[in-house]
Amino acid sequence: MKIKNYFYLVLSFIIVGCNSSLLNNTALTSKSPSSIYTDNKSVTICSKYCRSIMPKSFDKKDLSLAELIDIGLLNNPNTKATWAEAKSKAASYGQSLSKFFPEIDVAVKANDQRYSNVLPGASQTFNLTTYTPEVNITYTVFDFGAIRNSSRAARASLFFADFTHNRELQTVVKTIMEDYYDVEYQIERKIAFEEDLKNASTTLDAALLKLQTGAGSLEDVTVAKTKYLQTKLSSIDQMSILETSFATLKKDLGISANIDLSLQNFPKNVVAQNILEDIDQLLVIAKKNRFDLFAAEANVDQFKADVKLAKSEFMPTITSSFDLGKNYYQKHRDEDYHYTFIVKFNFPLFKGFYDMNQIKKAKSNLCKARANLEKKEL
């Protein structure tokens, strides 16, 4: 049995030794200062994770601004990132709440022991097998608000992530609207340049005709031809600007650049109405709807809780622990039961001024958060 165990041990060392990356970390870098690092195991994730999500009503028809906003909210990666961040903060808040409950552990220990008692002229060998199931309960009885303030900070951090996500949704809508109007503007400019090119072509033809009939000069032809070429170059340049505008719109929509989009024509008659004329009323609406302002307020609340949490580190904590178990021996022998109950009083005496600097750090972060809130409100 021992020979077999030794064989497995030697085999494990051989396997580990064959894996050079475990012993040679430089294999995970480029081979020379002039070469790049390549990972042969890398795969393109775009085909799996970057598929565009289209509304059920999506087809090849001309898309309205409302439909573009719908596509953007489904696909924009920024909103996905802020939403995932909010979900992560929600999980962190749930973790902070777990400290309000006792920690319960269940363990089963098995101990197989062999020993010899050597006496003059004789020796005895003993085998002892013990099974010990145990339950351990640990609970923080009192900590001067450390757990409570830690939970409050996590809750405020969650609100910050939520309001940041809300603000990102508003930003995506605003960005898509700006991209849509820019595309419509560039389309109209393209049409205008095409008309200018037709006029320049007509002017050039007229100048050539006058030159042939003797009513015009070569200078008129040269000027008309120069104007035509300049207009043609401007028209070609405008086509490039239009394609770039379309690419920007697709990027902000979060869809692939090879998806064709056709937009509805911009309405010829646009009726613009003033929503509000009083600036004070606009400010009231802004303070009620600006989620980035709410996020800044939540950030202040988070650092307020962090300051209280840092101050609580100077305070003592009282924890209790209860351990209950029973030993089962071989030959069906067992004890009644055993338990251990511990109440621990811990008073932090000195940590090299760590706690004091932690309070200073928390207060500085709070001042920064308040300044950012004031800046956002202004």
Side-chain angles (χ1 to χ4, degrees):
M1 187 67 180
K2 292 183 178 180
I3 296 176
K4 187 176 181 181
N5 292 337
Y6 286 135
F7 171 75
Y8 285 132
L9 181 61
V10 173
L11 182 62
S12 300
F13 279 113
I14 293 175
I15 294 175
V16 172
C18 291
N19 191 348
S20 59
S21 63
L22 295 177
L23 301 177
N24 184 17
N25 293 329
T26 58
L28 301 178
T29 61
S30 59
K31 296 181 179 179
S32 67
S34 59
S35 62
I36 63 173
Y37 169 71
T38 56
D39 184 3
N40 296 329
K41 296 181 180 179
S42 298
V43 294
T44 302
I45 64 171
C46 186
S47 59
K48 181 177 180 180
Y49 297 103
C50 300
R51 295 173 182 172
S52 300
I53 303 174
M54 295 298 180
K56 295 180 180 180
S57 60
F58 175 79
D59 52 23
K60 295 300 181 180
K61 68 178 183 180
D62 295 339
L63 297 175
S64 65
L65 177 59
E67 290 173 320
L68 291 175
I69 292 175
D70 190 16
I71 295 173
L73 293 178
L74 287 173
N75 294 277
N76 191 280
N78 294 337
T79 58
K80 295 178 182 179
T82 54
W83 179 78
E85 178 68 15
K87 299 288 285 186
S88 175
K89 294 299 183 181
S92 298
Y93 175 56
Q95 288 179 325
S96 68
L97 294 177
S98 65
K99 297 181 181 180
F100 286 102
F101 300 93
E103 181 179 346
I104 303 175
D105 297 321
V106 178
V108 178
K109 295 186 293 185
N111 184 16
D112 189 8
Q113 199 173 15
R114 174 185 174 89
Y115 60 94
S116 300
N117 187 13
V118 180
L119 298 175
S123 64
Q124 291 180 321
T125 302
F126 301 93
N127 291 315
L128 178 62
T129 303
T130 306
Y131 300 96
T132 308
E134 291 182 339
V135 177
N136 180 268
I137 302 175
T138 305
Y139 183 68
T140 301
V141 180
F142 190 69
D143 62 357
F144 286 89
I147 296 178
R148 181 176 68 255
N149 289 307
S150 176
S151 179
R152 287 178 177 175
R155 187 169 181 264
S157 179
L158 169 59
F159 289 154
F160 176 82
D162 287 335
F163 291 132
T164 301
H165 173 65
N166 292 350
R167 182 57 180 172
E168 187 60 37
L169 291 174
Q170 293 176 331
T171 302
V172 168
V173 173
K174 174 178 177 292
T175 303
I176 293 175
M177 291 177 65
E178 292 176 345
D179 293 342
Y180 167 77
Y181 291 125
D182 183 64
V183 169
E184 293 289 351
Y185 170 70
Q186 300 302 337
I187 291 175
E188 294 298 326
R189 279 177 55 88
K190 177 177 176 294
I191 295 174
F193 276 115
E194 290 174 350
E195 294 297 325
D196 291 342
L197 186 61
K198 291 179 181 179
N199 295 333
S201 177
T202 302
T203 302
L204 177 60
D205 293 339
L208 290 173
L209 182 60
K210 287 182 179 182
L211 180 63
Q212 293 175 358
T213 59
S217 64
L218 185 61
E219 181 181 358
D220 294 336
V221 175
T222 303
V223 172
K225 190 173 184 179
T226 301
K227 180 65 175 178
Y228 172 76
L229 293 176
Q230 290 176 345
T231 306
K232 188 175 182 179
L233 289 175
S234 299
S235 178
I236 295 174
D237 185 57
Q238 179 58 30
M239 293 177 62
S240 174
I241 295 175
L242 177 59
E243 291 300 323
T244 302
S245 181
F246 261 112
T248 302
L249 174 61
K250 294 176 184 179
K251 176 182 70 68
D252 293 331
L253 288 175
I255 63 177
S256 177
N258 59 358
I259 295 179
D260 294 329
L261 292 180
S262 179
L263 307 184
Q264 291 182 356
N265 293 329
F266 194 75
K268 299 300 181 182
N269 298 322
V270 179
V271 180
Q273 297 179 352
N274 292 328
I275 301 176
L276 290 174
E277 296 181 356
D278 189 358
I279 187 64
D280 293 331
Q281 295 181 17
L282 290 174
L283 290 174
V284 170
I285 293 177
K287 290 183 179 180
K288 290 182 179 180
N289 295 279
R290 285 289 297 261
F291 290 108
D292 52 344
L293 182 63
F294 300 158
E297 292 176 348
N299 201 27
V300 171
D301 293 338
Q302 174 187 350
F303 287 114
K304 283 182 180 179
D306 285 341
V307 171
K308 294 180 180 179
L309 177 62
K311 291 180 178 179
S312 66
E313 296 295 331
F314 279 104
M315 302 301 169
T317 57
I318 302 175
T319 58
S320 62
S321 176
F322 179 73
D323 182 84
L324 176 65
K326 188 174 183 178
N327 288 324
Y328 293 88
Y329 303 98
Q330 60 185 3
K331 297 182 180 180
H332 307 288
R333 294 183 293 116
D334 60 321
E335 67 174 4
D336 187 7
Y337 65 90
H338 63 266
Y339 73 87
T340 304
F341 179 72
I342 300 174
V343 176
K344 183 179 179 181
F345 179 83
N346 181 50
F347 189 87
L349 188 60
F350 184 69
K351 294 183 180 178
F353 304 105
Y354 176 85
D355 294 334
M356 185 180 300
N357 287 291
Q358 186 69 16
I359 294 176
K360 294 180 181 179
K361 179 181 177 181
K363 287 183 177 179
S364 300
N365 291 332
L366 177 58
C367 292
K368 180 181 177 181
R370 285 173 173 168
N372 289 334
L373 174 59
E374 182 181 358
K375 178 181 177 181
K376 185 66 64 177
E377 186 174 5
L378 292 174

